[in-house]
Amino acid sequence: MFCFQCQETFKNSGCVNRGVCGKTSDVANLQDFLIWISKGLAEIEVKSERNNKEVVDRIILNLFTTITNANFDFSQIKDRIFETIDMMNSLRENKNYSEAANWSSKNFSEIEKKINSGEVSILSEENEDIRSLKELITYGLKGMAAYARHAKVLGYESEKVNNFILTTMAELLREKSIDELVSLTLETGSMGYLAMETLDSANTKTYGNPEISKVNIGVRKNPGILVSGHDLKDFEMLLDQAKDSGVDIYTHSEMLPANYYPKFKKYENFVGNYGNAWWKQRDEFEAFNGPILMTTNCIVPPKDSYKDKLFTTGAAGYPGCKYIEADEKGHKDFSEIIELAKTCKAPEEIEKGSILGGFAHSQVMELADKVIEAVKNGDITKFIVMAGCDGRMADREYYTEFAKKLPESTVILTAGCAKYRYNKLNLGDINGIPRVLDAGQCNDSYSLIQIALALVDAFGVESVNNLPIVYNIAWYEQKAVIVLLALLSLGVKNIHLGPSLPAFLSPNVTDVLVEKFNIAGITNVEDDIKNLII
Ligand code: FSO
Ligand code: SF4
């Protein structure tokens, strides 16, 4: 195996024997194969005259399945490979195709032989700059696919995004120059922005605009179900099915923003948020006592103490944990989880009190006058975008320290699970405007962009780069990659990215990003505050 798609990759170089995330080498190899034939399937579709919706849905699911910490289940990935091959075999025409598009065998030893040849591995591309750009684009597509799928289950999709995913997957099988790949990278960012916009419409039109919310982080006395991941539709179905069951529902990690949507607030059995970012789940899931539903990543290999209570659905999967399948209409039956919950103890209280959130674009626009006035009179001197992901490495403590040491005239704009590094610090407010404004999930970075664009208008400046906004973004997996590419495609400069720059960026590709966008890493809290803020 060789995988370097996430921030925690081994020695910031690449996981080779087993993933730091827990992914085994046989699963990693199958994922590489799945991506390779998904590119082949895309080529078959692009070369046809059809517009087969099932093809793009399949490719989106395959991409999503290979995101960091989403699916560790060998047999599920094997099934997806077989289903993809079946689809290719039924759609192939009498045309000239690449080897990936021509792959037709479901004989597993032949698949293994192909994997063992190294020809579908990331490292099969020998030119490290081409490899770097192709992987950067592929990871951007993975993040985009996740967002596209969340929108799709709510009945929203963008033809442009779908077509881009198809054509780009097919293009990645071809030889490309560095220049072509650099422009494809930026196009990937623009399409990522569109995918986030589509998901924002899907979420807000279905569940209402997020509003300022005080979220309970304590517990009640009933047994509960904990829902993690990003899929709001799964959350809604579970909430609805559990409403009269006597079982309470809690969010975990990236599901926290469900607490900000008006439609979910109406459920009396919806208690609040339990715990913190994804990487603390091994302790928190144990203390929760009840079943847990993972609707997407990030899964950490579970402890035996709760493994039989961990359920997965959608693109997520873990061997030995029950997977909940959707029927043809997308409906999922969560009764088994609800029944199991009834037999469990109530959650152990690990925290008390509340946290504040719900500052997505529509809510912030309502506060716009107040915000603009505070900037004009100097009460707010800077906004710091600290969106992105959290992770388990100790050096992420940087973000807590950074937030603590920021001048009191600054406001943090956040989205994604990065917020757990500072959302319980009680950083106070400026004229009633909280100093940490949480827009929601990582895809709600879209809201942060909307807020920046509104400020461009309000202050009559030329671009987002002339605003008092600095970017100190934490990344972990491929959804953060698409958010980053979206920002770059909008011309945002001077982004600081940490805790380390991606291992998949070759020195030359890093130079291009530095030259075009002045991207930089982070150093230490004191120096970064001095250089970025003061
Ligand atoms: Fe976090 Fe995981 Fe949302 Fe990611 S839970 S790390 S960027 O999946 O997607 O922010
Ligand atoms: Fe390693 Fe990250 Fe890949 Fe897991 S996803 S194998 S930690 S690079």
Side-chain angles (χ1 to χ4, degrees), residues 196-213:
M196 287 196 272
E197 184 172 74
T198 310
L199 180 53
D200 180 80
S201 301
N203 288 341
T204 55
K205 288 189 181 139
T206 313
Y207 302 119
N209 275 309
E211 51 195 27
I212 301 180
S213 312

Side-chain angles (χ1 to χ4, degrees), residues 196-472:
M196 287 196 272
E197 184 172 74
T198 310
L199 180 53
D200 180 80
S201 301
N203 288 341
T204 55
K205 288 189 181 139
T206 313
Y207 302 119
N209 275 309
E211 51 195 27
I212 301 180
S213 312
K214 219 175 174 189
V215 179
N216 173 25
I217 57 172
V219 297
R220 294 201 304 213
K221 294 209 161 55
N222 302 324
I225 299 171
L226 190 55
V227 190
S228 196
H230 305 70
D231 198 291
L232 296 181
K233 172 92 179 165
D234 288 336
F235 184 72
E236 180 189 20
M237 284 189 277
L238 177 62
L239 199 53
D240 204 55
Q241 290 170 37
K243 68 174 183 262
D244 300 314
S245 65
V247 170
D248 285 338
I249 306 294
Y250 296 78
T251 57
H252 184 261
S253 190
E254 272 287 72
M255 198 53 84
L256 158 66
N259 288 275
Y260 311 154
Y261 286 91
K263 193 155 179 200
F264 299 138
K265 289 185 176 176
K266 298 191 179 123
Y267 289 87
E268 281 181 6
N269 61 334
F270 182 15
V271 178
N273 190 69
Y274 187 84
N276 294 278
W278 63 273
W279 61 277
K280 291 198 171 163
Q281 68 187 247
R282 279 169 65 88
D283 292 333
E284 292 172 355
F285 286 3
E286 187 170 50
F288 186 73
N289 292 327
I292 305 114
L293 174 65
M294 295 298 312
T295 65
T296 66
N297 55 333
C298 281
I299 301 174
V300 180
K303 287 186 183 175
D304 287 341
S305 60
Y306 62 82
K307 193 173 174 188
D308 56 350
K309 289 188 270 187
L310 189 73
F311 293 74
T312 62
T313 190
Y318 197 87
C321 294
K322 178 91 193 257
Y323 180 81
I324 310 277
E325 191 89 57
D327 67 17
E328 300 93 67
K329 290 189 177 149
H331 182 264
K332 295 178 184 178
D333 179 358
F334 292 121
S335 54
E336 187 180 339
I337 307 182
I338 297 166
E339 288 312 309
L340 175 61
K342 289 179 185 167
T343 68
C344 297
K345 284 195 289 185
E348 185 185 311
E349 185 165 81
I350 52 174
E351 287 171 306
K352 263 189 188 36
S354 62
I355 49 177
L356 204 58
F359 297 92
H361 55 90
S362 136
Q363 179 66 80
V364 176
M365 298 313 166
E366 278 179 35
L367 299 174
D369 290 348
K370 227 174 169 181
V371 173
I372 290 163
E373 198 196 315
V375 176
K376 286 195 172 150
N377 67 21
D379 290 340
I380 295 179
T381 54
K382 283 254 160 74
F383 296 95
I384 299 99
V385 173
M386 289 179 74
C389 327
D390 198 4
R392 67 199 121 194
M393 303 304 175
D395 54 2
R396 297 224 180 213
E397 188 54 27
Y398 164 95
Y399 294 102
T400 308
E401 284 308 303
F402 188 88
K404 276 189 193 161
K405 296 206 168 119
L406 281 170
E408 284 180 4
S409 60
T410 56
V411 171
I412 295 173
L413 303 175
T414 192
C417 58
K419 63 172 139 294
Y420 286 99
R421 288 281 168 180
Y422 41 79
N423 67 344
K424 293 169 184 170
L425 291 178
N426 293 322
L427 294 178
D429 66 89
I430 300 172
N431 309 340
I433 304 159
R435 288 195 53 228
V436 178
L437 299 180
D438 175 25
Q441 298 179 332
C442 44
N443 44 286
D444 294 310
S445 298
Y446 172 77
S447 267
L448 305 183
I449 296 169
Q450 295 311 298
I451 294 165
L453 295 175
L455 291 177
V456 167
D457 279 350
F459 292 112
V461 293
E462 208 178 304
S463 83
V464 280
N465 295 312
N466 305 105
L467 291 169
I469 301 184
V470 294
Y471 296 81
N472 191 358

